Amino acid sequence: MSTATIALLGQPNSGKSTLFNALTGMRQHVGNWPGKTVEKKEGSFTYAGKEYNVADLPGSYSLSANSDEEVITRDFITSGKADVVCILADSSQLQRSLFMLADYAGINAPCFLLLNMADVAADQGKKIDAKAIEEKLGIPVIPFSATDLKSYTGFYKTLEKALSKGSKLNVAELEKQYDSIRGYQEICNLIPENTIPGYSSMWLATKVLENDKVVIEKLKQALGAASFAAIEEIKRNAQGAVAVGGCKFAWIDDVIAGAVEAKTQKVSLGKLDRIYTSKRWGKLAVVLTVLLGLIASFIPALPLMFVGEGVLALKGPVNALLIAIDCHEFVRLIVTDVIIQSFSYIFKMLGFVFGVTLVFGLLEEVGIMARISYVFDNTMGKLGLQGKSVMPFLVSFGCTMGGAAGSRVIDNWGQKVLTIALAWAVPCGAAWATIPMLASIFFGPGAVLVIVVILLTMLLHMWVTAKVFGAKLVQKEDRYGMIMELPPYHKPKWGALFRYVFGRTKETFVRVTRVVLLVCGVFWLLSYSPSGTGGILYTIGVVIEPVTKLFGMPWQLFLSYIASAVGKEGAVGVISALYSGGSYSTAFTNAMSGAGSTAAITGPGSLSSVLLANVSKPEALAFIFAMTFNMPCVVALAATYQETHSAKWTGRIVLYYTVVSLILAFIAYHIGLLIW
């Protein structure tokens, strides 16, 4: 079977990821480009007996060396690894989105042009003559809608045409535009063709005028000293990037002249955009949108959550069956307490991920996510992030796993990882169910002050974490806003949306299951004791108590702190078991399924009386801070690995939060000693 490699090139929001997912389905792999914090997506598909490999190149607005994404993209294209480059443009905003094509002009690789979102352009009353554009460009051009499966027949035919003819972009008219730039022709004459393989002299000369440092350094190495010195001298008195950009837009105007008919419309902000872009109400409107989306996520999540409850209901009958066949207790507990409870927990959390992916995928599909990014872009930029990062932060107040899953709307891999790292600092719904209860037991009315301090600590934690990880994950040149122009609102393509959601949910299920079963299995093994009151963790906790007391946690609280890394609700159950003489092993098992304590909060022998009799206020304060800012839970860990595709960075985040939570516990404990 013959093979060919396609590279997908396009600006953010051009529909490139939708096309990639539709072509490759589950036959895709996500990793990082060697030595870079940039996501690498590759996949494959088969059509008409031929196998195609697809490289989804990083989304960028141009091919200038302003970021790692842009350098990686152009290096891949000119490396010869791609047999053809598929360039995507947004038909609804053709003039702006063709800038990538103009910046590509001069790269010696076969290509064809997809005028994506043709359906959106049609809804706007635009008529585009693709044949007229094709004649001017000299490459295949096709109207297309990545969300419409009927469009793909034309795509495959155009792909085969581009491969068979090796079509290359006609740049004659663009070069005429460049001739008007002072210094261009002189620099171009000093750069022989094939000086740098894959790039024409025209393309290299314009990058010199744009002061592209990577290109300039390569020319310095490739040219003789005299030629390079001459180029540097001409460049000092030549016109620069503004003139080059003007020529590109003039060429774009010539390309689409006579090929695009549009109804004359008065350009104005709609009612919704006036709210989103309002200096007074914009941020509030975005926060309310995300919170309503979070609430709405629970509706499609319910079926999978019920499946999780159904799986848990199997525990009793399976346990009885294993006892009836005289199965060994150790094996029986692995089946019931590890496998069944883990799958119950996975399905419950997976339901929420399905809901979040569906609802926020819908918001992105109709154009609202771009508004969210626009409104918070400056605010998030202070942390080295883009505006879309605010969505995972807000979702994390409900579930950190959902926040991690929500980060998939972020194009830049480094910003995605940093967003997840910061989202871990946001206490989730399970933490908020536990914090007020513990604070009320120990501090009464003072619980409000504890909660306020936790919120302030969260903000400080996020700022410090951005400083710690930001330098590695997000380079200064990557700290840019992602929105050049607000895309138009348009109707969702439900078929494409559901295919995407089901595909991502399936992928999440596979990866999360591996991690959760492994982690929960290890924790169960460490906590297991035939008597229910011992185990390896129990022994370790007792031995290292002199150390853990420095952080304000006797061994009982320290073991509960470890349980909080598996599930926040279960930490309280472990405390209750350890101080009341219950089964520590059972309590830890319940923690792994997300179950809390079954003890009464008040009254004789209640959780309140047990805690007040055994735990001091400084110790309680230390535990609250340690638990709150510890690893959120095991499914958040799995979701982080799923989205980052990096065991190394997932491990770094876990270690960092473990250390920081203990430091916060130490500070809280010693402040508590001064107060009480």
Side-chain angles (χ1 to χ4, degrees):
M1 183 182 293
S2 58
T3 60
T5 298
I6 314 164
L8 304 182
L9 175 66
Q11 296 177 342
N13 300 316
S14 63
K16 187 163 56 66
S17 294
T18 303
L19 172 61
F20 176 76
N21 291 329
L23 290 174
T24 62
M26 296 301 292
R27 296 177 62 183
Q28 55 180 261
H29 170 74
V30 182
N32 281 356
W33 292 90
K36 302 289 184 181
T37 56
V38 178
E39 191 170 75
K40 182 180 183 180
K41 297 171 69 176
E42 295 176 308
S44 63
F45 69 93
T46 302
Y47 177 75
K50 187 172 184 176
E51 184 170 355
Y52 295 87
N53 297 317
V54 187
D56 185 6
L57 299 176
S60 59
Y61 288 108
S62 71
L63 293 175
S64 298
N66 295 319
S67 68
D68 283 343
E69 282 89 343
E70 289 162 335
V71 174
I72 286 170
T73 295
R74 70 192 194 189
D75 284 352
F76 181 87
I77 292 170
T78 57
S79 68
K81 294 178 181 178
D83 296 296
V84 67
V85 179
C86 173
I87 304 173
L88 287 88
D90 180 354
S91 298
S92 67
Q93 303 175 92
L94 202 53
Q95 184 182 43
R96 175 181 68 78
S97 62
L98 282 176
F99 188 84
M100 175 61 82
L101 179 71
D103 215 27
Y104 179 90
I107 291 180
N108 300 321
C111 63
F112 65 101
L113 178 64
L114 279 190
L115 301 179
N116 195 26
M117 304 187 194
D119 53 334
V120 178
D123 290 342
Q124 295 174 342
K126 294 179 180 178
K127 295 181 180 179
I128 300 175
D129 187 344
K131 288 296 180 183
I133 296 175
E134 182 174 307
E135 289 177 8
K136 292 181 180 180
L137 296 179
I139 59 173
V141 178
I142 178 177
F144 185 71
S145 177
T147 57
D148 184 2
L149 292 179
K150 296 177 183 178
S151 294
Y152 283 81
T153 301
F155 168 83
Y156 295 130
K157 290 180 180 179
T158 305
L159 169 62
E160 291 176 331
K161 178 181 177 181
L163 282 168
S164 62
K165 293 187 175 182
S167 308
K168 293 186 179 180
L169 190 61
N170 181 357
V171 298
E173 294 301 320
L174 179 58
E175 192 158 20
K176 289 179 182 178
Q177 294 284 348
Y178 288 151
D179 284 338
S180 65
I181 301 175
R182 184 175 65 251
Y184 162 76
Q185 195 60 59
E186 292 88 337
I187 292 175
C188 195
N189 291 337
L190 288 167
I191 305 175
E193 289 295 338
N194 296 320
T195 297
I196 300 177
Y199 301 103
S200 68
S201 299
M202 179 195 80
W203 192 89
L204 293 171
T206 57
K207 290 305 170 186
V208 169
L209 293 172
E210 291 176 349
N211 198 32
D212 188 309
K213 290 183 172 57
V214 175
V215 166
I216 291 172
E217 183 59 32
K218 286 185 177 182
L219 287 174
K220 184 178 180 180
Q221 296 172 8
L223 297 174
S227 295
F228 183 76
I231 288 175
E232 286 283 272
E233 183 61 33
I234 296 169
K235 178 173 168 288
R236 289 190 187 95
N237 300 308
Q239 292 175 286
V242 174
V244 174
C247 289
K248 290 175 181 175
F249 278 113
W251 177 73
I252 291 170
D253 288 340
D254 180 63
V255 168
I256 63 178
V260 178
E261 294 182 19
K263 295 178 181 178
T264 303
Q265 295 179 338
K266 183 179 179 182
V267 179
S268 61
L269 287 175
K271 291 181 180 179
L272 197 55
D273 278 343
R274 283 199 292 271
I275 296 173
Y276 279 131
T277 58
S278 167
K279 290 184 178 180
R280 177 179 295 182
W281 303 109
K283 286 184 170 61
L284 177 61
V286 164
V287 171
L288 288 176
T289 299
V290 175
L291 291 180
L292 287 174
L294 176 61
I295 294 169
S297 298
F298 283 96
I299 298 173
L302 286 175
L304 278 173
M305 289 182 172
F306 286 138
V307 170
E309 288 293 340
V311 171
L312 188 61
L314 294 174
K315 182 177 176 179
V318 171
N319 186 55
L321 176 63
L322 293 176
I323 291 175
I325 63 175
D326 200 25
C327 181
H328 192 279
E329 181 191 41
F330 187 81
V331 176
R332 176 169 56 83
L333 291 176
I334 287 178
V335 173
T336 58
D337 290 358
V338 178
I339 297 176
I340 291 180
Q341 288 205 173
S342 292
F343 272 105
S344 171
Y345 197 19
I346 289 167
F347 276 112
K348 290 175 185 177
M349 294 298 101
L350 195 67
F352 187 65
V353 169
F354 175 82
V356 167
T357 305
L358 176 61
V359 171
F360 289 99
L362 176 62
L363 292 180
E364 185 167 32
E365 175 76 13
V366 299
I368 289 178
M369 193 59 69
R371 274 75 182 169
I372 292 174
S373 184
Y374 172 81
V375 172
F376 272 93
D377 205 52
N378 287 334
T379 304
M380 293 293 104
K382 295 174 183 177
L383 297 173
L385 302 172
Q386 54 180 274
K388 290 180 182 178
S389 297
V390 72
M391 189 272 285
F393 294 160
L394 294 173
V395 171
S396 291
F397 277 103
C399 175
T400 310
M401 183 186 187
S407 70
R408 61 187 53 163
V409 301
I410 299 170
D411 314 271
N412 180 284
W413 183 85
Q415 290 179 324
K416 179 191 293 184
V417 177
L418 184 58
T419 296
I420 294 174
L422 268 60
W424 275 36
V426 179
C428 66
W432 287 120
T434 306
I435 295 167
M437 179 187 69
L438 292 176
S440 297
I441 288 173
F442 286 97
F443 309 110
V448 175
L449 180 60
V450 172
I451 292 172
V452 170
V453 173
I454 283 175
L455 288 171
L456 293 175
T457 303
M458 175 195 76
L459 296 175
L460 178 62
H461 195 337
M462 294 176 76
W463 182 79
V464 171
T465 303
K467 296 295 182 183
V468 171
F469 289 131
K472 279 276 188 182
L473 289 170
V474 186
Q475 304 300 318
K476 287 185 178 179
E477 58 267 24
D478 292 334
R479 300 183 179 217
Y480 51 83
M482 297 300 291
I483 303 298
M484 293 179 66
E485 185 177 338
L486 290 179
Y489 292 106
H490 50 85
K491 297 176 182 178
K493 296 288 186 179
W494 292 105
L497 178 61
F498 277 109
R499 284 193 297 272
Y500 165 75
V501 172
F502 281 115
R504 289 311 299 257
T505 304
K506 180 181 177 181
E507 183 183 351
T508 300
F509 173 74
V510 172
R511 285 179 175 266
V512 166
T513 298
R514 294 173 186 168
V515 176
V516 171
L517 285 176
L518 175 63
V519 175
C520 286
V522 170
F523 271 110
W524 178 86
L525 192 62
L526 293 175
S527 64
Y528 171 73
S529 170
S531 65
T533 57
I536 298 173
L537 272 181
Y538 179 94
T539 304
I540 293 174
V542 173
V543 170
I544 67 172
E545 186 177 41
V547 177
T548 62
K549 276 193 170 183
L550 294 175
F551 302 101
M553 290 184 283
W555 69 268
Q556 295 95 333
L557 289 183
F558 184 73
L559 292 184
S560 301
Y561 160 75
I562 293 176
S564 73
V566 180
K568 291 287 181 285
E569 309 97 322
V572 177
V574 173
I575 293 177
S576 177
L578 290 174
Y579 280 118
S580 63
S583 172
Y584 161 66
S585 179
T586 300
F588 213 101
T589 299
N590 290 335
M592 290 190 294
S593 66
S597 172
T598 56
I601 302 299
T602 59
S606 65
L607 178 64
S608 175
S609 60
V610 169
L611 290 177
L612 290 173
N614 292 279
V615 181
S616 67
K617 286 186 176 181
E619 290 172 343
L621 191 65
F623 176 75
I624 288 173
F625 274 84
M627 178 203 69
T628 302
F629 296 105
N630 191 15
M631 184 178 86
C633 66
V634 66
V635 288
L637 169 70
T640 298
Y641 174 65
Q642 153 75 9
E643 298 302 327
T644 62
H645 304 282
S646 171
K648 181 178 74 173
W649 273 102
T650 302
R652 284 180 178 177
I653 294 171
V654 171
L655 179 61
Y656 172 78
Y657 270 85
T658 302
V659 172
V660 170
S661 65
L662 291 175
I663 291 173
L664 291 173
F666 178 87
I667 294 171
Y669 177 61
H670 287 85
I671 290 176
L673 290 176
L674 294 175
I675 298 174
W676 297 290

